[in-house]
Amino acid sequence: MSGISSVSGRCVTVARRALPFRRTRTRRYLNAGVDLDDFFDFLNGQGIRYAVLRWFETLPEVAPGEDIDILVADEDLDLVGAVLTSHRLPPRRQKFDVYSVTGLPGSDYRSIPYFSEPLARAVLERAVLLRDRYRVPSPLDHFDSMAYHAVYHKGDASGLPRSAGAAPLATAGLEHDYLEILGELAEAAGVSVPLTMDDLDAYLTGKGLRPPLDTLDKLSASNDWLRHRIEEQYGPVDGGIPGLSVFVLRERAISMLARLQDELPREGFEPLETVWLDPAAVQRATAAVRGGNWGRGPFAVGGGPPAAYVVAYDLRAALPGAPVGTAGTDDARRVLESKLAIRRRLLAGVPPEHRYNPVHSSDDPRQALDYLAVLRDDDVLDRCRQKIGRIRAETVFPFPVVELLPSHRRRAISAVVVHPEFGECVCKLFYPSAVRFLARELRARTDFAALPEVPAMLASGANWILSPRYTDTGAHVRRRLPGVQHVQLKPQVSLAMAELARALHEKGSFLLDLSPANLLTDRAEGLKVIDWEFLQEFPGEPPGLLRSPTVLGRADDLVDVDTPLGVSTSGSAAVTVFNPMVTGLPRRLLLGAARRSSPIVALAELGMVVGWLRRGVRSAVRDALRGSERVARRSVRRSVAALAQRRTV
């Protein structure tokens, strides 16, 4: 160990400081001045649990350009990092791919563990010494791990036939002949199994070594055989219950259950059932969900094992034939994007050094069914089916639909319908759990019907309201602000909004979602505010108008207030029609002015021009900095690639 003896003590000291991973990459390189035998002697001397997974027969000789795949126990990963490091510019030293049992950061395979946890632990626990120096899998684990690699990682690229009777795929151009290699390993291990992907999958499943469904789904993204195999065994992605989801609350976030149940409807999900996991269910879910990987991931601390399920239904699937995804959003990313948004809101205010992953979720209904199977309680799914059936039965438009209108569909669905008396008009259909939002729309059309900006109500029902079909000319917009998704309003429009705010305030009410996006100007009917779902009353004495949520875009110190997604539960504000960036005027001046005030109009026009120029300069500077950064990154990447190519040559 001449090459490592002088530094081994220092390496161990550094590794044991429990510093966070500074270079979280699977591909690593042997430290300078250390040869392979020194490396393995160091691992053995420190009692590190590891195994070289394959192509180890010729060690310490390694074919040029080949890497060494090594599996390491989670608790020993820091020690291995003392002698293997990552580099942006690949050095001319031996390269390794380092994997840990649970796929810790910098030791994962496409963000999932390399092997299922039972297989990974078996490989490490039964590893044997090759030539008294290299820890390698036992003959049986060598076959099992190679079969796993060929079937789930390689798929058709392994050259194995898919099923019995199918011809082997062409092996020309393949790195390795897995059919021949697996045959030799099976003979050495005394295993008798047909060497097809279907049969090897069945063999691994029978031994409990197959990865969970959510992991298989991720692996199938680059494995056509596996994708078809999953569909054959589990059915279509929608699982026969489009919209079904399971959100998994982790142990560290137990106190956040009520917040999670509140946040789901804000994303358009109806909570159906909450199930606390008993110790046996926790153990099953830990192994069968999330690929068995419940580590800290990219967060500062771990969130702990699963603690509770919140089964939910995506209300966008309630209307038969309605697309589930939002405009411009891939349906497959619907749950993922909602989960990430909820996670951000749950962690708002938590210091970075204390942040953790509070919630996990299924990606699609098929995975949700797999998660629920872990409970071993069919009654949970039966109750959820019944609730979904009731939701779908009540989510039906009362008149023939001409077209669905674009919307987020979190609380309601809007469509152009044909009414026998009014002809084509707009029907807003509310979900069963959103009746309070319907009540607010109805109140706006009655209590505030005298306000010209309130849309007319043609008719209403138990869960719907009918309005004229307004067309937006955009006449209320002065100009679009550069670099942001906001507009500036014409001064007379801003003054009209100030008058509306005063009228609401006089009746002890506020509209929390009065944003420029909720305005339109119809050619015949003029300016309208089209969304009144967040019209609410002050619980006590109203504050001054300047402190009203209508003006501020947030509800300070008010409890039990419904807030739209633009207003987080942590208190940040949305951009309202009273924002000086939108009006060109300070709020106090705008709200105190008369509706027809020529000096105010002139001042607003000047203020908007100044605001537009300031926003334009900021946007230009930001874009220039981003552009410069992109150019610099491209230049560095080209230089690194050229240098790497030169060194390779």
Side-chain angles (χ1 to χ4, degrees):
M1 294 180 61
S2 58
I4 200 171
S5 59
S6 61
V7 297
S8 61
R10 178 167 54 85
C11 290
V12 173
T13 300
V14 171
R16 285 179 175 164
R17 288 177 182 168
L19 294 172
F21 301 117
R22 289 169 294 175
R23 300 185 178 97
T24 53
R25 293 185 181 188
T26 300
R27 173 58 54 87
R28 309 188 189 195
Y29 298 86
L30 197 59
N31 283 356
V34 180
D35 63 29
L36 274 179
D37 281 347
D38 289 340
F39 169 72
F40 286 108
D41 287 344
F42 170 72
L43 298 187
N44 297 331
Q46 295 299 321
I48 292 173
R49 293 192 299 155
Y50 75 93
V52 181
L53 296 178
R54 49 188 169 267
W55 327 131
F56 46 70
E57 292 80 6
T58 61
L59 285 174
E61 298 299 324
V62 181
E66 285 288 340
D67 58 271
I68 297 176
D69 296 309
I70 184 171
L71 179 69
V72 181
D74 288 2
E75 55 270 26
D76 292 330
L77 189 58
D78 280 347
L79 285 168
V80 173
V83 285
L84 292 179
T85 54
S86 295
H87 297 272
R88 291 190 179 276
L89 179 61
R92 284 185 286 186
R93 300 195 296 273
Q94 179 58 51
K95 56 186 176 181
F96 287 76
D97 282 339
V98 180
Y99 304 104
S100 63
V101 172
T102 64
L104 293 172
S107 61
D108 58 290
Y109 179 76
R110 301 179 184 176
S111 300
I112 57 178
Y114 191 69
F115 288 143
S116 63
E117 189 167 351
L119 177 57
R121 296 201 181 281
V123 168
L124 291 183
E125 289 170 4
R126 295 197 290 258
V128 298
L129 278 177
L130 173 67
R131 294 191 291 279
D132 296 324
R133 175 169 273 159
Y134 316 107
R135 287 182 63 82
V136 301
S138 68
L140 179 58
D141 294 326
H142 192 188
F143 173 79
D144 290 349
S145 60
M146 187 68 78
Y148 187 108
H149 175 61
V151 170
Y152 302 130
H153 296 160
K154 293 292 185 179
D156 289 331
S158 68
L160 295 175
R162 289 192 170 192
S163 58
L169 300 176
T171 57
L174 298 179
E175 285 185 278
H176 304 283
D177 187 346
Y178 285 93
L179 190 61
E180 179 181 350
I181 292 166
L182 284 169
E184 294 172 353
L185 294 178
E187 183 178 354
V191 174
S192 178
V193 57
L195 299 180
T196 70
M197 286 189 276
D198 285 355
D199 288 303
L200 288 171
D201 177 47
Y203 164 80
L204 293 168
T205 301
K207 295 189 68 173
L209 304 180
R210 192 192 209 201
L213 175 61
D214 51 7
T215 303
L216 290 173
D217 277 336
K218 290 181 172 63
L219 291 168
S220 70
S222 58
N223 188 330
D224 188 62
W225 164 82
L226 183 55
R227 184 170 63 256
H228 286 90
R229 180 76 165 172
I230 293 171
E231 289 178 356
E232 289 173 359
Q233 295 180 337
Y234 294 93
V237 172
D238 68 12
I241 315 179
L244 183 68
S245 302
V246 174
F247 291 82
V248 185
L249 195 70
R250 299 180 65 167
E251 185 178 68
R252 195 180 184 92
I254 286 176
S255 62
M256 293 184 175
L257 176 61
R259 288 185 60 194
L260 173 60
Q261 292 167 329
D262 289 340
E263 290 291 352
L264 284 169
R266 298 180 73 208
E267 289 288 337
F269 287 85
E270 175 73 12
L272 303 174
E273 191 98 1
T274 297
V275 182
W276 287 104
L277 305 183
D278 59 38
V282 168
Q283 189 173 7
R284 293 193 299 269
T286 300
V289 173
R290 210 173 184 267
N293 181 5
W294 295 90
R296 63 182 177 86
F299 294 88
V301 294
Y309 280 1
V310 178
V311 189
Y313 180 58
D314 185 353
L315 291 168
R316 302 180 194 201
L319 186 69
V324 177
T326 58
T329 301
D330 209 351
D331 289 353
R333 295 187 58 83
R334 162 77 175 124
V335 180
L336 173 63
E337 291 178 347
S338 295
K339 173 183 65 180
L340 294 178
I342 291 173
R343 186 182 293 169
R344 284 193 298 270
R345 295 198 292 273
L346 291 179
L347 292 177
V350 178
E353 64 272 17
H354 297 303
R355 289 190 177 177
Y356 59 94
N357 181 353
V359 63
H360 173 64
S361 75
S362 57
D363 291 337
D364 52 57
R366 184 169 64 190
Q367 285 185 19
L369 291 173
D370 189 60
Y371 286 16
L372 292 177
V374 170
L375 301 176
R376 299 181 182 175
D377 183 354
D378 293 337
D379 290 343
V380 173
L381 181 58
D382 289 342
R383 289 194 297 270
C384 291
R385 286 182 184 273
Q386 292 172 10
K387 293 174 182 177
I388 290 173
R390 288 195 293 269
I391 292 171
R392 290 176 64 87
E394 295 180 35
T395 310
V396 177
F397 279 101
F399 309 106
V401 175
V402 176
E403 63 172 320
L404 291 177
L405 296 176
S407 70
H408 292 293
R409 302 202 304 273
R410 296 189 181 101
R411 295 164 296 276
I413 305 175
S414 296
V416 177
V417 299
V418 178
H419 188 274
E421 178 183 352
F422 305 116
E424 286 195 2
C425 46
V426 174
C427 183
K428 194 170 187 179
L429 177 68
F430 288 82
Y431 302 128
S433 59
V435 291
R436 67 185 186 279
F437 296 100
L438 169 61
R440 292 166 185 165
E441 289 276 8
L442 292 173
R443 180 174 176 243
R445 313 300 174 92
T446 53
D447 290 4
F448 297 100
L451 296 176
E453 294 81 18
V454 176
M457 180 175 67
L458 302 177
S460 65
N463 63 341
W464 55 270
I465 186 170
L466 208 62
S467 304
R469 187 179 184 181
Y470 298 116
T471 55
D472 185 17
T473 65
H476 56 286
V477 176
R478 172 62 75 206
R479 63 179 66 83
R480 183 165 296 279
L481 285 161
V484 292
Q485 296 296 317
H486 298 295
V487 298
Q488 291 181 324
L489 302 176
K490 291 180 178 178
Q492 290 297 348
V493 173
S494 296
L495 290 169
M497 290 296 97
E499 192 167 311
L500 181 144
R502 286 192 291 269
L504 295 179
H505 202 68
E506 287 171 1
K507 290 195 175 184
S509 301
F510 60 89
L511 180 57
L512 193 51
D513 195 25
L514 187 53
S515 72
N518 287 335
L519 301 184
L520 64 78
T521 301
D522 183 79
R523 192 178 303 278
E525 299 295 330
L527 181 67
K528 298 294 176 183
V529 176
I530 59 174
D531 190 349
W532 291 84
E533 293 177 11
F534 292 93
L535 175 65
Q536 298 167 81
E537 295 184 44
F538 289 104
E541 185 69 23
L545 179 58
L546 284 170
R547 302 300 302 168
S548 169
T550 307
V551 176
L552 296 180
R554 65 180 188 273
D556 291 341
D557 304 323
L558 295 180
V559 296
D560 298 327
V561 171
D562 280 320
T563 56
L565 282 180
V567 183
S568 79
T569 52
S570 61
S572 60
V575 173
T576 72
V577 295
F578 303 103
N579 190 297
M581 173 180 67
V582 173
T583 65
L585 292 170
R587 293 184 179 92
R588 184 180 298 277
L589 182 59
L590 174 63
L591 292 167
R595 183 159 187 168
R596 300 185 182 280
S597 174
S598 299
I600 289 293
V601 170
L603 188 59
E605 292 285 11
L606 177 60
M608 283 192 289
V609 170
V610 173
W612 187 90
L613 290 173
R614 288 180 59 190
R615 177 61 60 177
V617 170
R618 289 177 61 183
S619 178
V621 170
R622 182 192 61 198
D623 292 344
L625 290 175
R626 287 178 178 174
S628 300
E629 186 177 352
R630 284 195 295 268
V631 170
R633 285 178 176 175
R634 283 196 295 267
S635 299
V636 170
R637 282 197 293 267
R638 284 196 295 267
S639 300
V640 168
L643 183 55
Q645 178 69 20
R646 187 180 307 169
R647 294 183 66 172
T648 301
V649 173

